[in-house]
């Protein structure tokens, strides 16, 4: 076993991941838990970590209740519509009723907001989005977290959750290692809030080889948010609901400001509005959902994908009209400079000036996340005042493991939270975690040294594998004794791509493909016992891979379970090509048995709380 130094940290609230949700949780934990010890552990450095690392140009979730622009009910209806009927409305409503206050704090903390000169209100990009000069968004929220925490640990990857050995199904902390020093860290905690972001790179990306890091979702989002809870038997929901994004080709530059503010539009290679062409076809698959307004994101993707398969590509964004207006031209460029500089570089390298050339669009490889136009993640308790009994077990945003909370991409069922909603959900989770401690639910937690020592053995095994096996080869990277993290990652991506509905098959899969995919994933899991890491950075890659693989197994199990095509444009079940409301207007919930590694799945009713409330009031 590698000789590493072990550090112990005992705390009340441990926040895993210092992105949007993690900074929100750290900040709010201090507000309610003045005397509590609050620690945040981050894989990178919270000043520039997570999906918002580079900055954003818009806050995508702001109600504007102070001006009666929108109410939380409106947002619930919007998210429900976009997700083809299936969201946790209690969670969505709860986030929406609090999100404005979080945004107001961002402004107080110095985030430059764009204002409408005439009204003085925040400048709207769309119904839910407000525009910001957001290059420094992340450092600003990080500062609030730094001032609130007892300690922030940067450069530590959390690999496992610790479990209480005196009470079944109760969390006891987490362990991880410092990627720079290699030191082992044990965090014994009364509550843990997992806020570790979504998962990219589980499906083969469009950009491979030297361009591999170019994905839409942050390449460092490695599914820890799912793998950590799955490994200890927490239930997950809607993991089949992976997301595919329509974005500018090769740079994945965002299209929101273009559609909403610049009023650009798309067309096929012949200059036609192709979306109309696929209306009847889509109606046969999903019925009246295609008539909803706005058209759900997946259905717009569906038209794009079908048009491309039919030979109508490439699909272009028509920018040449809007860019004649100097103001809109500036907005178009600034949109990238504050958020996705890479897109501007790609255009420059390909001689594309959007004033004169309409740039190409693409559909991305699938990602797994819980905060965007999708809602994969953990099955959590909702708030006391809103949730029906099946959705409530004592503490808001607590997973089905006692003392374990989640926020942001971690939490399933609540789509369209984005940056502000994820921060808000972190606040909600932290408030509940403080209450859990104050209610003395975390008394008598026992985490033995043996548990911590066993994890240390497990965590550093890839270094051992490499050290022992490296002398068997004299050159190259192919060894009979270990696989390197990059080799394992490419194998994972190939399985997910070919069998679980990635780009190679135009997002198509079926029961037989999924069955085979599950078999291959199981064998990959076996081989990951022999992953080899040559240094601490590769050790991180090894654990990222392990987390991605566990997440992928869960995604595949869920995709197998739901025998319908609920979100054409995100993926297709070729053996069940139609949306089937009669049998599948429900949420899917899974649990992996930590002892056997087997998944069980169930259907859970979806409650339309907002309209029920209104119906009751009317009657
Ligand atoms: C390209 C892009 C554009 C977007 N555009 C917008 C927009 O315009 N407006 C908007 O409002 N939202 C936007 N979003 C969405 C927004 O960024 C996310 O909703 C939000 O960041 C999710 O918050 P989170 O805390 O769950 O995840 P993140 O903010 O990604 O934070 C997760 C954190 O966990 C850390 N972590 C991961 N694994 C571990 C581990 N094992 N141990 C320790 N730490 C770990 C990560 O390093 C990271 O800091 C965009 C996202 C992307 C990727």
């Amino acid at each position: 076993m590698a000789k590493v130094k072990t550090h112990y940290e005992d705390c009340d609230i441990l926040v895993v991941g210092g992105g949007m949700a993690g900074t929100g949780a750290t900040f709010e934990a201090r507000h309610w838990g003045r005397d509590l010890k609050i620690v945040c552990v981050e894989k990178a450095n919270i000043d520039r970590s997570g999906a918002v690392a580079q900055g954003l140009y818009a806050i995508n979730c702001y109600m504007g209740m102070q001006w009666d622009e929108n109410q939380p009910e409106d947002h619930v209806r919007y998210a429900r519509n976009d997700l083809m009927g299936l969201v946790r409305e209690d969670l969505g409503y709860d986030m929406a009723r609090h999100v404005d206050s979080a945004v107001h704090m961002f402004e107080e903390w110095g985030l430059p907001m764009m204002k409408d000169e005439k009204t003085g209100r925040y400048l709207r990009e769309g119904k839910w989005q407000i525009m910001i000069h957001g290059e420094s968004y992340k450092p600003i929220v990080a500062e609030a977290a730094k001032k609130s925490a007892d300690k922030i640990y940067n450069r530590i990857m959390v690999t496992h959750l610790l479990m209480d050995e005196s009470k079944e199904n109760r969390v006891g902390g987490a362990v991880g290692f410092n990627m720079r020093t290699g030191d082992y860290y044990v965090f014994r905690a009364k509550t843990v809030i997992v806020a570790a972001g979504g998962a990219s790179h589980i499906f083969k990306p469009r950009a491979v080889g030297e361009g591999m890091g170019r994905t839409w979702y942050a390449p460092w989002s490695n599914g820890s948010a799912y793998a950590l809870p799955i490994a200890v038997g927490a239930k997950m929901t809607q993991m089949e609901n992976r997301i595919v994004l329509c974005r500018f080709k090769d740079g994945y530059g965002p299209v929101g400001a273009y559609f909403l503010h610049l009023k650009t539009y798309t067309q096929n290679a012949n200059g036609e509005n192709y979306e109309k062409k696929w209306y009847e076809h889509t109606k046969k698959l999903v019925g009246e959902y295609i008539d909803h307004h706005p058209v759900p994101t997946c259905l717009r993707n569906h038209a794009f994908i079908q048009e491309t398969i039919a030979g109508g590509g490439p699909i272009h964004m028509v920018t040449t009209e809007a860019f004649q207006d100097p103001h809109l031209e500036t907005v178009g460029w600034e949109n990238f400079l504050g958020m996705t500089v890479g897109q501007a570089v790609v255009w420059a390298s390909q001689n594309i000036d959007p004033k004169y050339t309409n740039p190409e669009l693409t559909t991305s490889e699938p990602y797994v996340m819980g905060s965007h136009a999708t809602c994969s993640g953990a099955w959590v308790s909702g708030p006391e005042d809103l949730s029906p009994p099946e959705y409530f077990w004592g503490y808001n945003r607590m997973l089905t493991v006692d003392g374990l909370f989640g926020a942001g991409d971690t939490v399933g069922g609540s789509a369209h939270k984005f940056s502000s909603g994820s921060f808000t959900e972190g606040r909600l989770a932290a408030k509940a975690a403080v209450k859990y401690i104050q209610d003395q639910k975390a008394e008598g937690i026992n985490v033995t040294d043996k548990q911590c020592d066993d994890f240390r053995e497990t965590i550093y095994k890839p270094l051992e594998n490499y050290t022992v096996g490296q002398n068997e080869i004299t050159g190259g990277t192919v060894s009979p004794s270990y696989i390197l993290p990059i080799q394992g990652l490419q194998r994972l991506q190939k399985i997910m791509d070919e069998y679980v509905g990635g780009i190679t098959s135009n997002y198509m899969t079926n029961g037989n493909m999924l069955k085979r995919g599950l078999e291959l994933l199981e064998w990959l899991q076996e081989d990951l016992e022999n992953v080899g890491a040559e240094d601490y950075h590769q050790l991180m890659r090894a654990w990222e891979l392990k987390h991605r693989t566990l997440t992928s197994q869960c995604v595949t199990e869920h995709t197998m379970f739901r025998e319908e095509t609920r979100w054409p444009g995100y993926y297709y079940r070729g053996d069940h090509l139609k949306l089937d409301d009669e049998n599948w207007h429900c949420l899917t919930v899974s649990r992996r048995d930590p002892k056997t590694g087997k998944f069980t799945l169930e259907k859970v009713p979806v409650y339309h709380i907002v309209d029920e409330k209104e119906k009751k009031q009317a009657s």
Side-chain angles (χ1 to χ4, degrees), residues 16-22 41-46 49-52 55-61 137-138 156-159 195-198 216-218 220-225 228 247 252 254 339-340 369 371-372 407-410 417-420 422-423 547:
V16 176
M20 286 310 294
V41 188
E42 164 58 46
K43 187 172 77 162
N45 183 312
I46 70 162
S49 71
V52 179
L56 294 180
Y57 200 64
I59 288 176
N60 282 355
C61 186
Y137 193 3
K138 189 64 213 303
I156 291 180
M157 177 171 184
V158 170
T159 55
W216 170 75
Y217 210 56
W220 46 82
S221 298
N222 69 286
S224 295
L228 292 170
R247 288 291 181 269
Y252 289 113
M339 170 153 72
T340 316
M369 56 187 299
S371 68
H372 211 269
D409 278 332
T410 307
K417 294 177 285 209
F418 294 98
S419 60
S420 46
S422 297
F423 186 92
H547 285 185

Side-chain angles (χ1 to χ4, degrees), residues 62-71 100 104 122 124:
Y62 179 73
M63 301 298 112
M65 284 183 276
Q66 59 174 322
W67 303 303
D68 201 20
E69 291 176 333
N70 295 292
Q71 294 302 327
D100 284 8
H104 299 159
Y122 295 140
R124 283 273 176 202

